Amino acid sequence: MSDRMERTCPVCRASASDADAFLDERVDPSTLDSFSFASRKEPEFFNYRMVRCRKCDVVYVDRPPSQQALAQAYHEADFDSVEEANDAATAYLRELAPALRRVERNSALEIGTGTGVLLEGLVERGFARVVGIEPSPAAIAAAPANRRAWIREGIFQEHDYEPASFDLVCCFMTLEHVREPLEIAESVLRLLKPGGAFVTVTHDYRSAVNRLLGRRSPIIDIEHMQLFSQSSIAALLGNAGYVDVAVKPFVNRYAISYWTRLLPLNSAMKQGAMRLLSSSGLGRLKASFNVGNTVAVGYRPHESKGTDA
């Protein structure tokens, strides 16, 4: 991660001179391992230096690693969160319901598909063709055999797909991890059919829980190249050319043991709590909380502006 390069705001392209300091850098390279770039890991609370854009409200790493370095990190990441991935997909499918009422159900793409569990849910809801892209071989290996045919290993690249070929594109808890989220949103717009939907889930750094926890929030993570608020994720979709953009918070449902893993406790207290939950069986119980996540949806205009019809 030594090949770090300066960038402008990844949402509105404003100069770094239009940004204020947000978080100083805190990284201990000696403690990083194969789970540092894995999904739903135990928080490390490391981060690259972050600034907040005064124009669009996004918080971003102003000198992130290169796209090549990030791709390699995710390629090498381990995966041990099948149950949590299944729980997340259940919540995402619930939040997709309004978009599914508006789009046709011929084809769907998921960027950062993991084990492809969401793709299976889309098939069950009538999609004829589903495709997922996932950089981690470990995540793909954890997928059941019936899903692997839907999953392509690698990072999302627009030229791998036909223009105007998808009714729905999903990108859940992934836009924070990429170097150029605006470029991805613009690429997705060109891949959508007119009227097609782009649905994202991102963290909201301005939510009450994340403001309360501050630097001890799980969203403070070396993986995150940017952190959105509700206004900045709406700005991202608007700047990319989407219409009927809607943004709202939603509730996640996970096992109590997973919620406990995310708590900002010292190691001894957390291990004690995890042992108690395991021995009592309480850790397997599911609980729902609004932990500051946001679902956003935008649609490709029927009268396309400067994109393929």
Side-chain angles (χ1 to χ4, degrees):
M1 294 296 179
S2 60
D3 58 340
R4 294 167 61 184
M5 299 176 287
E6 292 184 3
R7 65 171 175 169
T8 58
C9 172
V11 168
C12 70
R13 301 304 189 205
S15 165
S17 64
D18 291 313
D20 299 316
F22 185 78
L23 276 180
D24 292 334
E25 186 159 318
R26 186 168 70 181
V27 179
D28 181 357
S30 67
T31 66
L32 300 180
D33 58 23
S34 60
F35 282 100
S36 293
F37 283 79
S39 62
R40 302 179 182 89
K41 65 184 182 184
E42 187 167 331
E44 299 163 319
F45 307 114
F46 291 151
N47 64 280
Y48 295 117
R49 185 169 76 107
M50 305 189 87
V51 298
R52 185 184 65 83
C53 179
R54 292 193 294 270
K55 293 184 177 295
C56 71
D57 201 44
V58 73
V59 166
Y60 67 97
V61 177
D62 59 346
R63 293 185 63 249
S66 68
Q67 183 58 53
Q68 181 179 1
L70 290 172
Q72 185 64 26
Y74 288 109
H75 176 77
E76 296 173 355
D78 277 326
F79 182 85
D80 68 347
S81 56
V82 170
E83 180 180 355
E84 290 80 17
N86 293 346
D87 289 340
T90 299
Y92 300 157
L93 287 164
R94 181 186 68 240
E95 297 301 326
L96 277 171
L100 295 186
R101 288 193 288 269
R102 283 187 56 165
V103 303
E104 296 182 357
R105 302 191 186 188
N106 295 314
S107 57
L109 167 68
E110 184 183 18
I111 301 170
T113 195
T115 64
V117 59
L118 184 101
L119 300 178
E120 190 159 3
L122 293 176
V123 169
E124 291 170 354
R125 284 157 179 77
F127 277 83
R129 180 174 72 97
V130 294
V131 181
I133 182 73
E134 171 57 46
S136 170
I140 298 172
N146 67 299
R147 297 183 200 152
R148 291 180 196 164
W150 302 331
I151 303 174
R152 174 185 294 186
E153 182 185 326
I155 62 172
F156 170 73
Q157 298 185 81
E158 180 183 347
H159 61 72
D160 288 334
Y161 311 96
E162 292 294 324
S165 59
F166 292 104
D167 302 293
L168 173 71
V169 177
C170 301
C171 188
F172 298 140
M173 293 302 187
T174 298
L175 282 180
E176 290 99 338
H177 299 245
V178 302
R179 199 175 192 278
E180 299 295 344
L182 181 58
E183 289 182 6
I184 287 183
E186 291 170 338
S187 290
V188 168
L189 187 74
R190 290 186 287 268
L191 295 180
L192 285 170
K193 300 173 185 177
F198 182 35
V199 185
T200 73
V201 168
T202 53
H203 301 292
D204 177 4
Y205 77 87
R206 287 195 178 274
S207 69
V209 65
N210 287 325
R211 285 188 286 112
L212 175 66
L213 292 175
R215 185 176 268 286
R216 299 293 287 175
S217 167
I219 72 171
I220 305 305
D221 194 326
I222 195 172
E223 293 183 272
H224 290 157
M225 300 297 105
Q226 49 272 326
L227 294 170
F228 297 96
S229 60
Q230 290 191 34
S231 61
S232 57
I233 191 63
L236 178 79
L237 296 183
N239 291 345
Y242 293 86
V243 298
D244 297 341
V245 173
V247 179
K248 71 180 186 71
F250 77 102
V251 171
N252 288 94
R253 183 176 177 82
Y254 290 113
I256 291 175
S257 59
Y258 176 67
W259 290 124
T260 304
R261 283 174 57 193
L262 299 182
L263 292 175
L265 304 174
N266 65 49
S267 179
M269 292 179 63
K270 187 174 291 187
Q271 290 176 14
M274 294 295 287
R275 285 195 296 269
L276 177 62
L277 290 171
S278 177
S279 62
S280 66
L282 293 175
R284 295 190 297 273
L285 298 179
K286 307 283 185 179
S288 299
F289 297 103
N290 179 344
V291 291
N293 293 329
T294 296
V295 58
V297 59
Y299 298 86
R300 176 171 172 172
H302 282 282
E303 294 185 2
S304 186
K305 299 178 181 180
T307 59
D308 299 306

